[in-house]
Amino acid sequence: MHDRRGRPAAYLLAERDGEPVGAAVLVLADRPGFVLQEPVGLVLDEQLRATDHADLPAGEASRMTALRDRLAPMAAECYPAAVCVGPVGLTAGLHIGGSHEIAAALVDAVDEVAAEWQAVTSAFLHVDDGGNAVEKALTARGYLPATPSSRAVLPVRWRDLPGYLGTFPSLRRKVIRKELQVYDAAGMRTEIVPADRLRPVTGRLAVLAALVQEKYGNGYDEEASRGTLDFLVGRCPDLTSAILAESPSGEIVAFHLFYRYGGRLYSAFAGQDYSETARRSFAHFRVLYYEPALIAAAEGRELVDYGLGPRLDHLVRGGVSKRAASWFRFGALPREPVAELLSLITSAQDRRLERLPGGG
């Protein structure tokens, strides 16, 4: 086991015969933060409560309210929290090859770092691999399971645009074909730009990303968006590219930053303006969904990973949602009501996926 630990992050790598066989990344949360990235908010956040209630029968929704009302006053006592999760993109923080031995070693290493940090709460969020090995290791160490999230992915089963369109029923195929045709007829241009050529346009991309954040209630913060872009591009420049949608006048109206790695494309960051040009040309859909589908097909890749979902726009364009399990150990909360609340959260997520296209 090789490790680099400190505050606020630790990186753990398991090797066998000199080959990596598992990895974990651990971050420290010492106060409420982005709700999907820290366990206290993921379980007790008020905004998520309304979403969960919409997918539960009245009796279960009432019980969820009672449990959250009971536990919420103790939320502040749950920090600091040691969270095994990818710090950007909400990727899983734990990756193993399915071995019980590897899973146990990594979970023990994470728990050791959490103890060094004097963490009151420990959690593994949005885990999408490891199967029974992870479940067994975490259960044995007192973690409680829940499925508060799902992962939006696009399985690539075609080689070209006609093949992609052929995966849809007639009506949906007509809608997608129309959106593609309108984009081209509007004189829009699509460009795929590698990381080493993005710096001249990073300012514009930061504006577009901030506009999207503002639209979804996170506030307009161009400087923060610029910082995120600089981090994402600088982290793995050899793997990173951006799809740009440009108007006939040359203005970038939408972008999508992604990584190429292994047999997959990984969606990292996106932005758009809300001008008539962008809206009428379906520029956002072009860069976020259609172009990645064609790039992945042309490069022989198996999947486009969009991170946490589900997103209805994604699901009606060929994507599917896969359940992503999380595991929690709250040292400051009573175990039985937490276990019941986590069960209700899982039930709400299951019902939500069942009623959406591509859920499962």
Side-chain angles (χ1 to χ4, degrees):
M1 183 76 71
H2 301 271
D3 64 76
R4 179 163 64 86
R5 61 184 70 185
R7 293 169 70 106
Y11 303 89
L12 308 167
L13 176 68
E15 292 185 344
R16 176 176 286 149
D17 300 326
E19 294 294 325
V21 292
V25 56
L26 191 66
V27 294
L28 181 69
D30 56 7
R31 64 180 65 86
F34 183 43
V35 64
L36 294 178
Q37 201 167 359
E38 60 99 357
V40 185
L42 196 58
V43 173
L44 298 177
D45 182 73
E46 282 293 326
Q47 292 179 331
L48 294 182
R49 178 187 300 210
T51 303
D52 289 338
H53 283 191
D55 292 290
L56 287 174
E60 292 183 13
S62 296
R63 181 57 181 161
M64 176 179 279
T65 295
L67 289 167
R68 279 184 163 145
D69 287 345
R70 174 184 173 184
L71 297 171
M74 295 179 267
E77 302 172 24
C78 296
Y79 296 96
V83 192
C84 190
V85 67
V88 174
L90 300 175
T91 54
L94 180 69
H95 297 274
I96 68 168
S99 160
H100 291 273
E101 179 186 8
I102 298 165
L106 281 171
V107 172
D108 284 342
V110 166
D111 281 352
E112 182 181 313
V113 177
E116 292 175 7
W117 289 351
Q118 298 182 317
V120 179
T121 298
S122 299
F124 293 74
L125 301 184
H126 320 307
V127 177
D128 55 4
D129 68 354
N132 180 257
V134 169
E135 180 178 353
K136 183 177 180 181
L138 291 169
T139 300
R141 288 154 182 81
Y143 285 87
L144 293 170
T147 309
S149 59
S150 61
R151 198 153 200 86
V153 299
L154 178 68
V156 180
R157 303 182 294 269
W158 50 83
R159 295 183 178 180
D160 50 25
L161 178 59
Y164 171 64
L165 292 172
T167 64
F168 296 95
S170 176
L171 183 59
R172 172 52 51 183
R173 186 162 59 246
K174 289 178 181 177
V175 170
I176 294 174
R177 185 179 287 116
K178 176 186 176 182
E179 291 176 352
L180 292 168
Q181 291 171 345
V182 167
Y183 180 90
D184 293 334
M188 300 292 291
R189 189 171 75 93
T190 305
E191 185 178 8
I192 303 169
V193 181
D196 60 4
R197 289 174 42 212
L198 281 176
R199 190 157 301 280
V201 298
T202 301
R204 174 61 179 167
L205 303 189
V207 169
L208 298 178
L211 287 170
V212 171
Q213 294 301 311
E214 183 180 41
K215 178 179 173 64
Y216 289 99
N218 298 317
Y220 182 89
D221 193 331
E222 188 178 326
E223 183 178 350
S225 293
R226 178 65 180 260
T228 301
L229 277 165
D230 288 343
F231 174 80
L232 292 171
V233 173
R235 182 171 62 162
C236 305
D238 55 325
L239 306 179
T240 308
S241 297
I243 306 167
L244 310 181
E246 300 176 0
S247 70
S249 64
E251 182 81 350
I252 301 172
V253 299
F255 82 94
H256 178 200
L257 192 77
F258 68 95
Y259 297 117
R260 292 178 171 93
Y261 185 74
R264 300 186 176 191
L265 301 183
Y266 292 88
S267 178
F269 208 36
Q272 63 171 318
D273 67 21
Y274 296 94
S275 63
E276 283 295 294
T277 298
R279 187 178 65 82
R280 291 183 180 276
S281 66
F282 304 102
H284 178 65
F285 295 155
R286 180 65 173 252
V287 300
L288 197 58
Y289 302 120
Y290 301 139
E291 204 65 33
L294 299 180
I295 292 171
E299 296 177 356
R301 301 183 191 273
E302 64 187 26
L303 196 74
V304 182
D305 188 330
Y306 283 94
L308 295 187
R311 301 176 178 88
L312 186 57
D313 286 343
H314 165 77
L315 296 176
V316 298
R317 288 169 175 81
V320 298
S321 286
K322 298 294 184 184
R323 287 167 174 81
S326 293
W327 300 80
F328 303 86
R329 194 172 62 195
F330 294 100
L333 300 181
R335 186 175 177 85
E336 289 188 10
V338 168
E340 186 179 358
L341 176 57
L342 293 177
S343 177
L344 289 170
I345 289 172
T346 298
S347 178
Q349 176 73 0
D350 287 345
R351 290 171 181 270
R352 190 175 310 136
L353 290 178
E354 287 169 3
R355 66 177 172 78
L356 290 172

